[in-house]
Amino acid sequence: MNTSLPAFWAVIPAAGVGARMAADRPKQYLQLGGRTILEHSLGCFLDHPCLKGLVVSLAVDDPYWPNLACATDSRIQRVDGGDERSGSVLNALLHLNALGADDDDWVLVHDAARPNLSRDDLDKLLHELADDPVGGLLAVPARDTLKRVDKHGRVVETVDRSVIWQAYTPQMFRLGALHRALADSLVADAVITDEASAMEWAGLAPRLIEGRSDNLKVTRPEDLEWLRQRWVNRH
């Protein structure tokens, strides 16, 4: 094990249905290179020597998970997902508490439909944030010119792209701090889109770690087709 990298838990919220894919099953169970997207998303963590354990949050009636080879992996715990991502992550954190995880333990939350995370990016995130007081996330600086528009779709202004980043995952925070931020924001009915936004709502400033732009989240059919072409070219 690389002792310069901290041990960590991983959480994968995977209870969504991915309606924009218009597929016959949730997008995390679509095939990519002979395995499901979810299996690829889990794989980078399961192959890492610093992993302490992994919790996947699934729909209560999910019929696909039991058919995956990794479903019987002793390092993976299954919990019920919530109606929203924040609820799924919170359920997973509560389960980690029940397993004896410490409030100071690092937890990495990763999208179920982000199958192209590189080991280099994962190690970079762990290394850069190992001693950070808040934690942070992989992100990519905006490359294109950005426009702010009105309700009619007309440009109001050009936004300074040098201060705009796209938030990716994994997002890495201490278990206790993330648990409190998510629980409190849910009680307050705050709009929380990812773990970093919950930490921001709690008054903290997560750190951005630049990662690869091909750490793509599959949202639309063309995303999956782009990744399939890369898989073909790679193998």
Side-chain angles (χ1 to χ4, degrees):
M1 180 184 295
N2 186 340
T3 55
S4 66
L5 299 178
F8 66 93
W9 303 92
V11 166
I12 311 291
V17 297
R20 281 177 287 183
M21 288 295 293
D24 65 348
R25 64 195 60 202
K27 62 185 177 183
Q28 60 267 28
Y29 292 112
L30 297 175
Q31 290 286 314
L32 174 63
R35 301 166 71 196
T36 63
I37 289 173
L38 180 56
E39 287 174 291
H40 288 294
S41 299
L42 296 171
C44 194
F45 300 99
L46 294 174
D47 291 339
H48 203 287
C50 294
L51 179 72
K52 300 180 74 172
L54 187 151
V55 180
V56 59
S57 302
L58 300 168
V60 176
D61 56 353
D62 186 321
Y64 303 102
W65 172 258
N67 298 321
L68 303 185
C70 62
T72 58
D73 191 315
S74 61
R75 296 168 296 173
I76 301 177
Q77 300 282 319
R78 172 181 176 170
V79 299
D80 291 340
D83 293 333
E84 302 291 341
R85 175 194 178 95
S86 55
S88 292
V89 174
L90 189 56
N91 287 351
L93 297 181
L94 289 168
H95 190 70
L96 287 177
N97 283 139
L99 292 175
D102 191 85
D103 276 357
D104 287 333
D105 284 353
W106 285 115
V107 176
L108 273 62
V109 184
H110 188 59
D111 294 324
R114 202 178 288 272
N116 203 36
L117 172 64
S118 73
R119 174 64 177 271
D120 286 345
D121 268 9
L122 178 54
D123 284 351
K124 182 180 181 182
L125 183 76
L126 291 166
H127 175 73
E128 294 289 339
L129 297 179
D131 299 316
D132 195 273
V134 176
L137 62 152
L138 288 179
V140 174
R143 296 180 176 181
D144 298 318
T145 298
L146 300 172
K147 304 291 186 181
R148 191 187 309 278
V149 300
D150 62 19
K151 63 182 180 180
H152 304 295
R154 295 193 177 277
V155 174
V156 175
E157 65 171 321
T158 298
V159 180
D160 179 7
R161 70 180 180 189
S162 69
V163 297
I164 303 296
W165 288 59
Q166 292 179 267
Y168 281 18
T169 68
Q171 304 197 357
M172 174 175 168
F173 299 105
R174 302 283 186 184
L175 190 158
L178 180 57
H179 183 182
R180 288 190 296 274
L182 284 171
D184 290 350
S185 62
L186 283 171
V187 169
D189 201 26
V191 177
I192 300 300
T193 56
D194 62 1
E195 295 67 50
S197 64
M199 300 295 280
E200 295 159 35
W201 180 86
L204 300 169
R207 183 180 167 199
L208 297 183
I209 304 299
E210 185 171 355
R212 294 168 55 113
S213 61
D214 62 357
N215 180 17
L216 183 70
K217 182 179 180 181
V218 176
T219 304
R220 299 182 182 277
E222 57 264 32
D223 302 327
L224 183 56
E225 182 58 32
W226 186 86
L227 283 172
R228 282 174 172 160
Q229 290 300 318
R230 285 184 64 86
W231 242 261
V232 169
N233 294 333
R234 184 183 305 172
H235 301 290

